[in-house]
Amino acid sequence: MPHAYSDTALPERPVKPAMLRGALGRCPSCGQGRLFRGYLSVSPTCPHCHEELHHQRADDGPAYLTILLVSHLGAPLLLAIYMMYRPSATAMLIGFGLGAVVLSLLLLPRIKGGMIGFQWARRMHGFGAEPAAIEAAAS
């Protein structure tokens, strides 16, 4: 007979350390293993603690947050630079275009790792206990 499962029965995982570990590209569980096997490809399991990481569902969230942060940082800076120094349009396009690309490339994996760490800490999308472990605990 199936048992009722409640997330409240499981111990709470600390969110902040998990998000920081993820943002650093480390496993949100142990902080030792690499979270990514490529630039944005998430490893299916942690090579150190064998925590399953394939459950993550970051999808487009990191890209949206990256665009939000880069644009909100770049727009006031662009206006301030223009008002102070009056650079040419070409210099502004090259400088801020290059800056936006570099900042986006730096932020994207960190934001994705942080989101995966948040999902792990909150036991979202299958990051909770395995069904066999739940069945054994309920018996």
Side-chain angles (χ1 to χ4, degrees):
M1 178 169 133
H3 295 280
Y5 166 61
S6 171
D7 283 342
T8 58
L10 299 171
E12 196 169 312
R13 294 174 174 166
V15 176
K16 187 176 178 180
M19 288 182 71
L20 287 174
R21 289 176 189 149
L24 292 172
R26 298 291 173 202
C27 170
S29 178
C30 68
Q32 300 296 316
R34 292 187 58 180
L35 181 61
F36 299 108
R37 64 178 175 206
Y39 177 65
L40 288 176
S41 309
V42 178
S43 299
T45 59
C46 172
H48 187 261
C49 70
H50 305 290
E51 175 77 28
E52 292 185 7
L53 301 170
H54 63 88
H55 301 294
Q56 64 86 21
R57 296 286 175 261
D59 299 330
D60 292 334
Y64 291 132
L65 282 176
T66 300
I67 292 168
L68 182 74
L69 287 172
V70 170
S71 62
H72 278 80
L73 292 172
L77 187 60
L78 185 131
L79 182 61
I81 295 292
Y82 180 75
M83 296 304 287
M84 283 192 282
Y85 303 110
R86 303 278 183 188
S88 70
T90 305
M92 294 281 286
L93 281 171
I94 292 171
F96 280 93
L98 186 61
V101 168
V102 169
L103 190 57
S104 295
L105 290 173
L106 290 172
L107 284 176
L108 189 57
R110 284 149 185 79
I111 291 173
K112 183 171 183 173
M115 281 189 136
I116 293 169
F118 179 79
Q119 291 174 8
W120 176 84
R122 303 300 288 166
R123 299 180 190 275
M124 298 168 69
H125 310 296
F127 276 120
E130 294 299 316
I134 296 167
E135 193 73 29
S139 302

